[in-house]
Amino acid sequence: MDPIRIAIVGIGKIARDQHVPAIRGNSAFSLAATVSPHDAGLDGVPHHASLDDLLAQGPAVDAIALCTPPQVRYDLATQALTKGVHLFLEKPPGATLAEVEALKVQADKVGVSLFAAWHSRFAAGVAPARAWLAERKIEKVSIVWREDVRVWHPGQAWIWQPGGLGVFDPGINALSIVTHILPRPFFLKDATLVLPENRAAPIAADLSFRDTAGAAIHMDLDWRQTGPQSWDIVVDTDAGALKLAHGGAVLTLPSGTEHGEDVEYAGLYARFATLIRGGRSDVDTSPLRLVADAFLRGTRQTTQAFHD
């Protein structure tokens, strides 16, 4: 079977650090081209300054991974879908829920695969955590997701603009895990969003959720943490506590601790290949919906200006 010819649109840090190695490590794919108006691309790989140029001039591609900021993703996605190209959407899958729903409809009409890629769901501890929790009574959940924005998003102005999500850019990773591992749906009850006086998106947030059986879920997000970073989820159950640490890579159960390898993007591309070969899509918007609810219902507080 011939490999799936894929192009990466948007050659930033996440594309270079994660997408390129994952594609090159998966024999189901061949990296056919890259697209970016601001980057020279990769040695030995055809490069174009725009998606228009790629689609008009080639090389031919079967799939595209969109790694651009979410605010500009919809037009690029529709352009690719119009050409019958399978589509991988980096998280978040779009700047709004409505545009993602529109892409789902278009992908179905064209008959191509659309994949909203929540990479944290493929962390090593997530699948066994989901299986263990399926048979437990959930009592409460604590999520602490604190990191240093200067380390992970240096100089990325788009992330502070409307649609860039601010601290919810990493926070949505936690929500992608929790919506996947908890056995019941949950919804927002209250939120406080802390916005720097010179930014349009929050630098911190405190959120309270409740699942449909009444279990409390608390989430603490902050982008001002220095030193060790915190990406932890603790689920208290009737059988003891489950903890996911290091973004889901380390799972601790009452019976002990399991450490996993960094397999997130390898898992994403394995899933994308399966979807394409099977003629299916996977577009779960539940993490983005919870973020949208936080902006819809949250109380806003202003804090001092933030500068990189």
Side-chain angles (χ1 to χ4, degrees), residues 165 168 171-172 175 207 286-296:
L165 300 190
F168 286 99
I172 206 170
L175 291 172
L207 303 100
S286 55
L288 183 58
R289 185 167 62 246
L290 291 168
V291 172
D293 286 349
F295 281 98
L296 180 67

Side-chain angles (χ1 to χ4, degrees), residues 119-190:
H119 65 82
S120 292
R121 288 183 174 176
F122 290 82
V126 172
R130 175 184 168 95
W132 191 83
L133 289 172
E135 301 178 356
R136 315 296 170 190
K137 177 184 177 182
I138 309 301
E139 296 176 349
K140 67 176 181 178
V141 181
S142 173
I143 307 163
V144 178
W145 224 255
R146 290 172 161 250
E147 63 183 45
D148 187 346
V149 64
R150 291 184 174 93
V151 172
W152 300 101
H153 299 279
Q156 294 183 14
W158 65 266
I159 215 162
W160 297 105
Q161 297 166 359
L165 300 190
V167 74
F168 286 99
D169 178 81
I172 206 170
N173 294 335
L175 291 172
S176 74
I177 294 174
V178 179
T179 52
H180 189 62
I181 66 174
L182 293 185
R184 289 183 296 271
F186 60 96
F187 53 91
L188 184 75
K189 294 296 294 180
D190 186 54

Side-chain angles (χ1 to χ4, degrees), residues 120 122-128 244 248-251 258-264:
S120 292
F122 290 82
V126 172
L244 282 168
V250 179
L251 171 64
E258 302 175 12
H259 297 260
E261 299 179 13
D262 181 4
V263 294
E264 292 182 11

